[in-house]
Each structure stands twice: as structure tokens, then as C-alpha cells.
Amino acid sequence: MTMATIRHEGLKAWIDETARLGQPDQVCWVDGTEEERSRLAKRAIARGFVIPLDQDRYPGCYYSRSNPNDVARTEHLTYICTRKREDAGPTNNWMSPEEGYAKAKEIIQGSMKGRTMYVIPFSMGPIGSPFSKIGVEITDSLYVVLNMLIMTRAGSKVLDHLGTDGSFTKCLHTRADLDVRRRLILHFPEDNAVVSTGSAYGGNALLGKKCLALRIASWQARQENWLAEHMLILGIEKDGKTDYVTAAFPSACGKTNLAMLIPPRGLKAKGYKIWTLGDDIAWLRVGRDGRLWACNPEAGFFGVAPGTNSKTNPNAIATIRKNTIFTNVLLGDDLSVWWEDGEGEPPASGTSWDGKPWTPGLRDADGKPVPGAHPNSRFTAPASQCPSIAPNWEDPQGVPISAIIFGGRRERLAPLVFEALDWAHGVYAGATVSSERTAAAVGKVGEVRRDPMAMLPFCGYNMGDYFGHWLQMGGRMSCPPKIFHVNWFRKDENRQFLWPGYGENLRVIEWILARCHGKGKAARTPIGFVPAKGALDLAGLNLPEGAMDKLLEVKAEDWAAELDGVKVFFDQFGAALPKELWRQYDALKDRLKTKVPA
Ligand code: O2Y
Ligand code: MN
């Protein structure tokens, strides 16, 4: 593919303009063929951007290390650039488009000198599906190209679909000099554009993912009456019938593990089969049948490595056996990869994520263990390699959703599961999710923050309007999914997890689906319905005496105290917060004062 063969004048003009600004040595159009991918991988090896792993043990796999200052999303450097500040809302950083473009221009000017500028046409969602959107990423990073080829459907076939005047998101990325002072992730939803500078890691640089598929798409979804959400999609098959659920959890709270769940021994006899459709992002549209339908816009998984092993996620381990890029894990001297709480023994010696010599048991000057892998180290793997990938995961019509599950990581407060009273109450439950911070973004790990619908870092507009959009979407469906809230992370008084999690979470999903089908016994509490005693199938689980009571306990005084934090959070939106959410708040406050009979 060359510039001469491009038929889209708008695209050509943008590529020309960017090349004049960045001044690369050459422009290379990515056609998406296997032959080209292999050539680019060789080039990346020759230039030292990636290292091939032992190809007998890890066929088609590469290792990459990012700059040690560039290992997670940087929310404080991520901006929504809208003409009106209130359109970004109080939870986003805002910059005017003029200032954003001016700052970007200064950084991009000449930043690609001596490099190749790659142009990657890509589709989020199956090419041609009514769900899908097209993007074109310009990048001077070969690492980004190799990752985009896994995470999206990319190449000439996308250009063919774009035609001469199709619309696309302009995604401009330059790693510049990787200096944090020149790191900016700028979104221009009014222009359908993203500019990212100074980072070459994950969500900051693979612009189809968080930037397009969530921040820009959430803006478009509001205008076009659909939803772009930070959700996994899971299929649960039993007796020849499959139900689909979506679940939104904050970053690094186990979405990938849940999406690839394996039924626990106690439930196997019931004949469950679990299908993976997506582990991070769902685009949802109302179907002609009045139900909500979901599609995963991505083509790969960018999963957290530490903690992934054949007990926690055997499907992920099988997925990453080949054609996978490992970033910031430990590189063994034998060209193996390893991470904390991973598979098997570490290699006898290797190089840690930050490029230092590493041996098992290594400790720092204070005697603290030195990890080999960064806590936010990742694998990038094709979704098609997942043993549990659903046969219909690329269905252009998506799949119908029975339940939406919100969740957070809370040591206390939230019970294992509760069902919202109705759609509006479910939106309130999603809007008030709070969670302890993880390593996925720069910030203090463990700190509790509100993360409504797990979208706080990813909503491309005012979250007050976002809640309003969610509320009105309920009215567009004659058969809306039921909404639930889960918390796998509740701890006892000794700070030990009460629930085993992982595959055992199917027990909770089984109750959720029973509720969706008008079955499943429940007890009404002020916050919603929780499973009645004995309603969860716990066969073969052997939970300690009293654990289930603790897991399902709803302490009215704790929930009442939580309302103070909710009020502070809601207050910041002023008039943009839908009145319905204040009505829900007041109603919950009242219910917490009244003893509700079981
Ligand atoms: O993109 C990053 O830099 C790491 S964070 C991430 C990666 C994959 C999927 N989700 C997330 C997230 O932060 O939610
Ligand atoms: Mn995510």
C-alpha cells in the first residue's frame, strides 16, 4: 500500500500534514498481512525494540520492556479537550482544543526524525458490523504497530471499507523522547481525534483501546444512543441455551479472569460451558427486539501478567502460549518469561522489568523482595487463541445481554452480590461504585475512590450527563437487562478474603441468571435483593462456618455512612447530575432508616 493508492482525500491530507510536522524518514502503510507482520517483527528485533523468546517454548512470542518511567496509564496527563469545560465535567482533566493542539504541535514537531511513521488503518469491532468504528493510528513506534496488529483488525481491508469519504478517528501517536514532561494523552471528541505523546505503553499508546473504544466512543455513544463501556462479555451455556452477561470492574480487578472462567468442580456436574467474548470493553446497542446487545470491539487481550497462572486462569495461560508479546515481565537468561504468582519456578537468572540483573530471592537494601515483573506488566495475545473463545464472538450483530454486573474491590461494606430494584436503581448502584486502587494506573495503590461503572478514567464527557444517558437508555428497552453489584474482595476481621473468587464466581452468576429468569430466591434489603439463605449453590466449596452470613451482610449503619461520600461525589456535578439519582439517594437513605422485613 502506498500513498498513491489511497482514495480517501481527508485521510491523505491528514497523513501529509502529520508527516510534514513529525518529519519522519519514511511513511509506511500497514497492510495487515502476515508477511508484513513477520517483516516488521524482524525489524523490531534488529532495532532492539523487542527480543524474541525461545521459539521452541514460545513460538511467535516476543519480549518488550518499556521505559521504567512509562509503565501504567497516566490519568493526570490525560485530557478531554472540548470547547466548553463543562462538557468534560469535574472528573476529567480539561484543556481547550486550541491549547491541546498547540501543545501537541510543539512536541510532535520534528519528533519523528530518523524514524519511520507507520499508518495503521484499524477497525474496532468486526469490519462492517453495525457496532464497529474505524480508526487510523499514526505512530512512530514499532512496538505499537505489533500490538495494534493483535488488538485490532488492521490493514488494507479496513481502508477498503472506509472508501473515499468514510469517517474515522484520527489517532496520532509519537513516543517523542519518552520524557514525562512531554507526555500528554489528549482527546478531541468534537473532532473525533486523539493525540498521544511521550509514552509508548499500553492504554497511552495503543489508541484503539482506552482512547478510541472508551473515551471517544462514549461521547459518540451518547449522541447515537448506544453505550461504550469498560466491561467484559461472558457467555454461560447450560442445557443447550446460552445467556450472556457483561461486567464492569475497575482496572485490574479480575475482568480477564472472570471472562475466562472455568466452572468449579462442585458445579461441573450441572454441565456448564463458559464462553469468552471480551475481557475489557463492550459496545452495547438496543436491538429491534427491545433487548440490549453487546459486541467486543477488540481482537486481543492486553492482560495483567502477575497473578495469572494455571490455577487462577488456565484459559489465559493456554492463550498466551504462542504469538504473544510480553511487556515488563521478567526475562530469563534462557529467553523465557516469568512473573510473580505465575507459572512454575522462576529462571535461575534473568533481567527484571526495569532492565536489572535478577535472581530468585533477590532483596533490596532494606531486605524487601525485589519483584522480577512490574505489577502492571502485561501480555498481548490474540483473542482467537483463547480455548474458551465463543464461536460467535465476532458475530456482527453481537449477543443479547441478560444481566449487567457492576463491581468494586472493597474489603468491607458491599456484600458478595445484590440485585438492583429496577433499572434506575441499578444506574444508581453503578454510579456509586467505589473501589480500592490497583497498579493499572499511576497513583496510591489501596486508596478507596469512587469509580462509577468502572468508567471514571475512561468517560470522554461529563459523568453527570453520562449517568443521564444511562438512565434514558433504560427507557429505550422493552426488555432491559437486570442490574447487579458484586464484590469478590470482602474480608473478615483478620483481613482474610471471605470468598475464594476465580471459578467459584460462577456460583454467584448462576444466582444472577436464575433471578433473570424469574427464579432464584432472594431477601430484600435496603440496598437491593441479596441471595436468600441456601439460594447460592455452595456444593463442594466448604466455606468456613458463618462466612456466607458475613459475605451477604448488609450493615445499615455502614451504608448510611457511605452516603456522605456519595453526596460529596454527586455534589461536584451540580446541575449536570440527573435529579433521578438524587431521588435514588433519598430513597436509599429512607430505606436504611426503616427496618425492611426479609
Ligand atoms: O493500558 C494500560 O496502560 C494498562 S491499564 C489496562 C490495560 C488493559 C485493560 N485495561 C486496563 C485498565 O486500566 O483498565
Ligand atoms: Mn480496562
Side-chain angles (χ1 to χ4, degrees):
M1 215 167 15
T2 63
M3 199 68 161
T5 59
I6 308 303
R7 298 177 298 135
H8 193 298
E9 291 304 325
L11 172 57
K12 256 198 208 153
W14 176 57
I15 301 300
D16 277 342
E17 182 198 335
T18 309
R20 274 197 302 276
L21 186 64
Q23 296 166 33
D25 283 4
Q26 53 175 332
V27 175
C28 168
W29 287 80
V30 173
D31 66 21
T33 58
E34 179 47 32
E35 180 276 325
E36 176 196 64
R37 198 201 56 75
S38 142
R39 189 162 29 84
L40 293 177
K42 284 194 189 115
R43 190 185 291 178
I45 296 165
R47 300 198 179 157
F49 298 135
V50 299
I51 297 169
L53 295 178
D54 174 345
Q55 293 297 299
D56 292 332
R57 284 174 70 191
Y58 306 90
C61 293
Y62 302 96
Y63 178 81
S64 166
R65 195 176 279 128
S66 67
N67 190 319
N69 78 12
D70 187 25
V71 290
R73 289 184 294 98
T74 41
E75 289 173 15
H76 59 297
L77 302 174
T78 301
Y79 288 81
I80 303 298
C81 305
T82 44
R83 286 193 290 274
K84 288 199 233 135
R85 185 183 206 124
E86 62 266 30
D87 286 344
T91 59
N92 279 312
N93 300 311
W94 175 83
M95 208 185 268
S96 74
E98 294 73 31
E99 188 184 356
Y101 284 125
K103 283 209 154 103
K105 192 171 171 188
E106 211 174 290
I107 298 167
I108 299 166
Q109 182 92 51
S111 70
M112 297 183 185
K113 271 187 194 152
R115 298 183 188 163
T116 300
M117 180 177 114
Y118 298 93
V119 183
I120 318 164
F122 64 95
S123 174
M124 296 311 291
I127 297 172
S129 152
F131 281 88
S132 301
K133 296 279 181 192
I134 289 180
V136 178
E137 176 153 356
I138 294 179
T139 179
D140 58 357
S141 160
L142 254 179
Y143 168 80
V144 166
V145 177
L146 295 176
N147 276 270
M148 286 293 284
L149 288 173
I150 297 175
M151 295 303 296
T152 71
R153 289 121 177 134
S156 320
K157 49 193 191 290
V158 178
L159 271 193
D160 294 343
H161 195 76
L162 190 62
T164 53
D165 60 355
S167 70
F168 66 96
T169 308
K170 292 177 180 167
C171 298
L172 170 50
H173 169 249
T174 173
R175 55 198 166 97
D177 56 2
L178 295 177
D179 188 325
V180 245
R181 286 168 302 180
R182 279 174 283 285
R183 187 168 302 160
L184 282 174
I185 297 81
L186 306 173
H187 303 76
F188 303 87
E190 288 150 333
D191 298 343
N192 197 8
V194 179
V195 180
S196 162
T197 62
S199 166
Y201 185 77
N204 287 347
L206 312 178
L207 301 186
K209 193 171 180 58
K210 303 300 187 182
C211 299
L212 191 165
L214 287 176
R215 298 195 190 96
I216 296 289
S218 60
W219 173 286
Q220 295 173 337
R222 179 172 173 232
Q223 291 175 337
E224 299 165 6
N225 287 316
W226 52 284
L227 293 164
E229 299 299 324
H230 191 201
M231 291 176 169
L232 65 91
I233 313 172
L234 180 70
I236 304 101
E237 181 182 336
K238 192 169 168 259
D239 302 329
K241 198 183 158 296
T242 307
D243 272 292
Y244 299 92
V245 303
T246 60
F249 305 140
S251 306
C253 282
K255 283 204 300 300
T256 306
N257 291 340
L258 187 62
M260 299 182 188
L261 178 153
I262 293 205
R265 225 180 309 144
L267 291 197
K268 268 219 177 97
K270 290 183 172 173
Y272 278 110
K273 229 175 150 65
I274 302 297
W275 298 109
T276 306
L277 289 102
D279 78 328
D280 195 41
I281 297 175
W283 285 356
L284 304 117
R285 287 180 181 267
V286 179
R288 280 206 206 105
D289 59 358
R291 291 189 291 175
L292 192 61
W293 291 67
C295 177
N296 171 14
E298 301 191 277
F301 304 124
F302 188 64
V304 184
T308 304
N309 59 54
S310 51
K311 285 212 179 75
T312 58
N313 194 338
N315 281 322
I317 293 295
T319 306
I320 62 182
R321 285 225 171 94
K322 55 182 183 183
N323 307 322
T324 296
I325 301 172
F326 296 91
T327 306
N328 292 342
V329 298
L330 174 85
L331 176 66
D333 288 345
D334 56 355
L335 297 177
S336 63
V337 281
W338 185 87
W339 48 81
E340 278 66 28
D341 296 324
E343 272 307 81
E345 293 304 309
S349 60
T351 310
S352 61
W353 68 272
D354 52 353
K356 301 194 177 121
W358 189 93
T359 44
L362 186 68
R363 291 183 179 265
D364 67 12
D366 301 326
K368 278 211 305 242
V370 176
H374 187 274
N376 193 36
S377 52
R378 299 272 167 171
F379 52 79
T380 320
S384 58
Q385 292 183 182
C386 179
S388 57
I389 197 74
N392 55 344
W393 79 283
E394 299 196 274
D395 189 326
Q397 301 309 318
V399 294
I401 298 302
S402 302
I404 292 175
I405 304 170
F406 294 119
R409 175 186 283 267
R410 291 297 300 262
E411 282 194 22
R412 289 161 210 279
L413 190 77
L416 179 62
V417 57
F418 68 87
E419 176 192 332
L421 303 173
D422 53 28
W423 181 268
H425 177 235
V427 174
Y428 175 86
T432 53
V433 166
S434 58
S435 192
E436 289 138 26
R437 248 186 208 276
T438 65
V442 172
K444 195 158 173 263
V445 172
E447 180 184 78
V448 172
R449 72 167 181 174
R450 301 241 151 242
D451 192 352
M453 280 90 169
M455 280 290 277
L456 188 80
F458 307 119
C459 182
Y461 62 101
N462 190 321
M463 283 202 103
D465 296 329
Y466 169 77
F467 301 142
H469 178 54
W470 260 87
L471 287 166
Q472 70 89 21
M473 283 294 289
R476 292 180 172 272
M477 288 176 272
S478 50
C479 287
K482 274 180 177 276
I483 301 182
F484 296 80
H485 182 287
V486 298
N487 177 21
W488 316 130
F489 302 96
R490 196 151 171 174
K491 291 186 177 169
D492 65 13
E493 49 291 348
N494 303 316
R495 302 196 71 187
Q496 298 301 306
F497 286 114
L498 283 159
W499 181 248
Y502 301 107
E504 308 295 346
N505 294 337
L506 181 59
R507 299 172 191 276
V508 174
I509 293 175
E510 182 180 53
W511 178 79
I512 287 176
L513 290 178
R515 294 293 294 167
C516 293
H517 295 303
K519 298 179 220 147
K521 293 219 169 72
R524 196 183 159 111
T525 77
I527 62 162
F529 296 102
V530 298
K533 248 197 170 20
L536 285 183
D537 184 344
L538 302 178
L541 189 54
N542 298 325
L543 281 186
E545 181 76 33
M548 210 56 227
D549 293 335
K550 286 185 199 157
L551 276 162
L552 293 178
E553 187 177 32
V554 176
K555 280 193 182 154
E557 63 275 22
D558 290 357
W559 280 91
E562 183 79 359
L563 286 176
D564 296 341
V566 172
K567 183 170 183 316
V568 173
F569 181 69
F570 277 1
D571 271 341
Q572 67 183 321
F573 296 101
L577 194 91
K579 292 209 171 48
E580 177 59 34
L581 287 192
W582 282 121
R583 265 196 294 278
Q584 291 292 334
Y585 173 94
D586 290 336
L588 173 58
K589 200 172 195 175
D590 285 348
R591 290 197 300 272
L592 288 166
K593 283 186 208 144
T594 325
K595 262 223 148 335
V596 190

